[in-house]
Amino acid sequence: MSLNCEETFRRFQDYIDRELSEEEMRLVREHLESCGMCAEEYLFEDRVLRHIRKFLADNEVPADLSERVFGALDRDSGV
Ligand SMILES: [Zn+2]
């Protein structure tokens, strides 16, 4: 079994958060190693997420606001 691009995209956020099963982590990693387009997109999302998290941490944003931000991100990445 392997993932196509869309299936890989959908898992990026959980992959970054390491919330996938071991098997799914491996499938995403395998796809990223063989697909330049997804690898680039992954690097971009990883950077954006880290940036947002750092901003939220540095600025002591209320939890409900940061949840809204991530809720919006989830919807955007839902293709
Ligand atoms: Zn791909």
Side-chain angles (χ1 to χ4, degrees), residues 14-30:
D14 288 336
Y15 182 73
I16 292 166
D17 289 337
R18 305 210 181 333
E19 280 174 0
L20 297 172
S21 67
E22 232 171 82
E23 171 74 1
E24 285 198 303
M25 294 291 289
R26 188 177 62 76
L27 289 170
V28 171
R29 199 165 51 235
E30 274 178 10

Side-chain angles (χ1 to χ4, degrees), residues 18-72:
R18 305 210 181 333
E19 280 174 0
L20 297 172
S21 67
E22 232 171 82
E23 171 74 1
E24 285 198 303
M25 294 291 289
R26 188 177 62 76
L27 289 170
V28 171
R29 199 165 51 235
E30 274 178 10
H31 186 92
L32 291 178
E33 279 166 7
S34 63
C35 178
M37 192 180 80
C38 286
E40 243 176 67
E41 180 66 22
Y42 167 72
L43 286 177
F44 175 76
E45 290 222 11
D46 185 51
R47 211 165 44 227
V48 169
L49 274 180
R50 278 175 209 284
H51 189 77
I52 291 172
R53 286 203 178 136
K54 187 176 183 319
F55 175 85
L56 294 179
D58 288 352
N59 292 278
E60 292 180 14
V61 175
D64 65 324
L65 176 61
S66 64
E67 261 172 45
R68 269 205 305 261
V69 170
F70 284 109

